[in-house]
Amino acid sequence: MAEPEVMRVQGVAALAEEQRLVLGLREASPEAVRELCDRFGPKLHWYAAARLLGDAQTAEDVMVEALADAARNIRQFNSRRSTLSAWLYGITRRKLRGEMRRQRRMKSVPVSAQVPLESLSELPDQQDMAARLEAKQQVRALAQALGELEFEVLVLNCIDQLSAREIGRAVGRSERAIHSILHRARQKARERLMRDEAG
Amino acid sequence: MKQVDEQVTELLTATRPELSARWQERVLEKARRPAVRHRRHWVAIAVGAAVVLAGLGLIPFRAEDAKGLLGRAMAAMEEASSVHFAGYGTAPDESSPTGMKMMPERFEFWVSDRAITMRTVAPDGTLVATSGLNLDTNEQWSYGADGGIRYTADLTPVAGPAAVFVSSVSHALLSGSIGQALSSNLSDVRESVSTEVRDGRRVLVVTYAGTLKASRRRVTERFVLTIEEATERLIEMRQYAQAEGNPEELIGHSEVIEYDVPVPADLAPAGVAAVTATLEAEETEKVVRLIMKVGDKVIERAEAARLQ
């Protein structure tokens, strides 16, 4: 019985932390912007990179724009309607969609998505490289096997353990719809992964 | 299902890319720039701005309709220190099969966070009207067919609300300029993007075409927006309309769109009466009102929605 109480206290503490950060951002404090970066930047970048199938540079550009927008427009954040995390994923998602639409219109794949992520001088040993490339191919196959929204919801669930409600806020769907999308996404992912293992 | 989550997380972890060394600095740098203005408010404007807006047939920008490239072009516009537009607006015209025509008068406006200057010139080169407000020179003027007046008023005490007013008008002018292309007035919208080289620079030509929803006639509209690829700035916009069975007509053309150019201080002709006035501001939760007086007499009022 102690566990829910601990979780509740942790939840309240997280909320207080979030409120403190939001207040700092409202005062345009550079320290608050740094804290925003530290707390959310790496995960948002990871999410953007997964959605862009490994295009690290564009993912970073998207994340930087999203965090800067969030810091500048923090007054639009309403803590009653969303958590800061879900709000930030929502902003990043809108920027990502714009970027992906732009790439589709340009009918080209960004150069950074076509080449290995590591620069030649920092090339890891061949075995690591091969494993990484294989993982990259598996992620691409997974993205193709799942619908766009299913892949996105699964990524959000896996990289940041967001709740269904938070994911719903970020992608503009109800909590119930997210449960259903996640269920389908997991089924398709399991089939795809089993096929990879068999192959 | 947990196992699936773990496997997917492992894959995503294995492919997780590194961040560059400067990413935090980039966020800080961009976060210091002025906030992107809220795009969903309608700006009520008095003085000459209302006339110009109505004349140009401008409508508010709708963020939910913003499409990637144009949204970015809009953001680039907001980030510029000033913007200069020149061209021909659209006006209703019942005699035209489309119900619209391109105005013969050439409009021009310059906007920055500190000043607005507008003017309209007849096809024969005669000045039809000009108006403006400059927070740096403490001047406001409006001049039309019946003559005009230039006021000098100390704007320092109302610099805050006056700046909000300028921002609101600037915003309405800028967003209206490309808002029509992004509005929900069109159904069956078709979009396309092509790349060209113009004057040695690569440009993206974005075309939006669709059927005008609220029209008694069957009219299709086509917007052709030219965006400089390197800067993502909008540099030209054309608006066409075509009524069924009729040829397509050009009904609007912003032929000059320049960025970071000086805003002319005063375009009223020489000899315009100059009056020293006072300016007062009233702020409510929703609007900022600027009231200009000469002595006790209120000579002009301007009202703008507060930026949220």
Side-chain angles (χ1 to χ4, degrees):
Chain A
M1 291 300 285
E3 199 173 309
E5 179 62 15
V6 169
M7 285 168 70
R8 194 183 66 77
V9 172
Q10 282 175 343
V12 171
L15 208 61
E17 273 294 290
E18 186 174 295
Q19 280 172 349
R20 185 186 54 74
L21 176 58
V22 169
L23 281 176
L25 291 169
R26 278 176 172 243
E27 287 163 8
S29 148
E31 288 72 31
V33 179
R34 281 187 197 283
E35 188 180 334
L36 183 78
C37 289
D38 287 340
R39 281 180 59 180
F40 298 100
K43 286 272 174 76
L44 291 175
H45 179 238
W46 192 9
Y47 158 65
R51 294 281 285 116
L52 291 166
L53 302 177
D55 180 358
Q57 186 52 56
T58 308
E60 184 174 311
D61 291 346
V62 165
M63 176 270 283
V64 164
E65 288 286 342
L67 283 178
D69 266 16
R72 287 181 303 186
N73 298 298
I74 190 67
R75 286 177 192 281
Q76 288 173 25
F77 168 65
N78 184 342
S79 60
R80 287 184 200 153
R81 291 175 53 197
S82 171
T83 61
L84 188 57
S85 181
W87 186 63
L88 291 169
Y89 276 109
I91 296 172
T92 310
R93 181 174 189 260
R94 281 192 291 279
K95 294 202 170 288
L96 267 173
R97 287 166 73 92
E99 176 56 33
M100 289 160 87
R101 207 178 294 127
R102 189 184 75 84
Q103 289 183 7
R104 277 198 289 269
R105 280 182 184 147
M106 300 288 287
K107 293 191 189 334
S108 68
V109 179
V111 174
S112 53
Q114 296 171 31
V115 297
L117 298 168
E118 295 76 10
S119 69
L120 288 174
S121 59
E122 296 165 319
L123 202 64
D125 69 52
Q126 294 295 311
Q127 213 171 355
D128 277 2
M129 188 70 179
R132 188 162 184 155
L133 284 174
E134 194 187 327
K136 234 176 141 175
Q137 279 164 1
Q138 278 184 285
V139 172
R140 273 171 199 266
L142 204 56
Q144 277 167 5
L146 274 63
E148 191 175 325
L149 186 60
E150 290 166 349
F151 180 65
E152 176 165 42
V153 167
L154 189 60
V155 166
L156 284 169
N157 175 69
C158 288
I159 66 175
D160 212 357
Q161 285 81 48
L162 292 184
S163 68
R165 176 178 284 199
E166 283 181 300
I167 296 174
R169 293 282 185 209
V171 304
R173 295 295 175 100
S174 69
E175 187 177 348
R176 197 170 164 183
I178 295 301
H179 282 300
S180 157
I181 292 166
L182 200 51
H183 179 69
R184 279 201 308 274
R186 281 172 174 150
Q187 272 184 330
K188 287 185 187 177
R190 185 172 55 181
E191 283 165 20
R192 176 72 235 184
L193 292 168
M194 280 168 71
R195 211 179 310 159
D196 282 348
E197 279 168 16
Chain B
M1 288 302 181
K2 280 275 176 200
Q3 206 188 342
V4 176
D5 285 2
E6 280 165 20
Q7 281 180 281
V8 174
T9 307
E10 271 174 30
L11 282 177
L12 293 172
T13 306
T15 54
R16 185 175 183 173
E18 297 291 319
L19 279 156
S20 73
R22 273 202 73 247
W23 74 272
Q24 286 210 4
E25 292 311 310
R26 289 175 61 205
V27 176
L28 280 161
E29 204 175 286
K30 282 177 182 280
R32 273 196 292 270
R33 292 181 195 165
V36 172
R37 291 165 196 140
H38 199 263
R39 294 168 178 169
R40 260 176 284 190
H41 67 278
W42 175 239
V43 180
I45 299 156
V47 208
V51 179
V52 174
L53 285 172
L56 295 176
L58 301 181
I59 57 163
F61 184 89
R62 291 164 56 96
E64 60 271 32
D65 296 318
K67 310 279 192 315
L69 277 171
L70 295 184
R72 291 156 80 115
M74 183 69 194
M77 203 172 268
E78 288 178 342
E79 283 177 6
S81 63
S82 68
V83 184
H84 172 214
F85 264 75
Y88 299 89
T90 307
D93 178 20
E94 282 305 312
S95 66
S96 161
T98 61
M100 295 173 280
K101 68 168 184 183
M102 188 160 81
M103 292 169 78
E105 295 85 14
R106 189 171 194 267
F107 76 81
E108 210 165 358
F109 66 79
W110 294 258
V111 295
S112 75
D113 282 347
R114 302 286 295 169
I116 306 166
T117 293
M118 293 175 274
R119 80 170 159 198
T120 311
V121 177
D124 65 2
T126 319
L127 179 67
V128 176
T130 176
S131 57
L133 175 68
N134 190 312
L135 296 183
D136 292 324
T137 61
N138 284 336
E139 281 189 321
Q140 183 188 343
W141 69 94
S142 65
Y143 178 89
D146 301 330
I149 199 160
R150 178 165 54 239
Y151 304 110
T152 305
D154 181 9
L155 302 177
T156 317
V158 293
V164 171
F165 170 71
V166 172
S167 292
S168 298
V169 178
S170 306
H171 174 68
L173 284 167
L174 295 179
S175 59
S177 300
I178 61 169
Q180 209 156 352
L182 306 172
S183 78
S184 57
N185 287 343
L186 300 179
S187 59
D188 306 324
V189 175
R190 301 175 300 283
E191 306 166 18
S192 67
V193 180
S194 61
T195 309
E196 291 175 14
V197 176
R198 273 190 210 171
D199 303 326
R201 56 183 175 173
R202 280 170 64 86
V203 297
L204 301 167
V205 181
V206 182
T207 303
Y208 276 77
T211 309
L212 206 54
K213 280 183 194 167
S215 174
R216 283 179 281 117
R217 309 164 171 94
R218 184 164 173 77
V219 176
T220 54
E221 273 198 318
R222 189 164 66 95
F223 293 87
V224 181
L225 301 106
T226 308
I227 295 170
E228 189 178 36
E229 191 180 49
T231 57
E232 295 190 322
R233 284 172 166 179
L234 181 70
I235 55 172
E236 192 196 5
M237 183 171 80
R238 289 170 186 264
Q239 184 182 353
Y240 298 89
Q242 183 175 25
E244 203 167 22
N246 288 277
E248 189 180 58
E249 293 171 50
L250 180 66
I251 59 164
H253 186 195
S254 294
E255 55 187 4
V256 175
I257 308 176
E258 296 178 307
Y259 299 78
D260 303 321
V261 293
V263 178
D266 182 354
L267 296 176
V272 166
V275 172
T276 300
T278 58
L279 194 66
E280 295 168 5
E282 283 178 8
E283 287 186 80
T284 69
E285 201 176 314
K286 291 188 174 171
V287 297
V288 177
R289 281 191 200 94
L290 297 181
I291 301 153
M292 187 168 269
K293 291 180 179 175
V294 174
D296 289 336
K297 191 180 171 196
V298 176
I299 49 167
E300 269 191 88
R301 287 174 187 273
E303 185 175 288
R306 292 178 70 92
L307 292 170
Q308 297 299 310

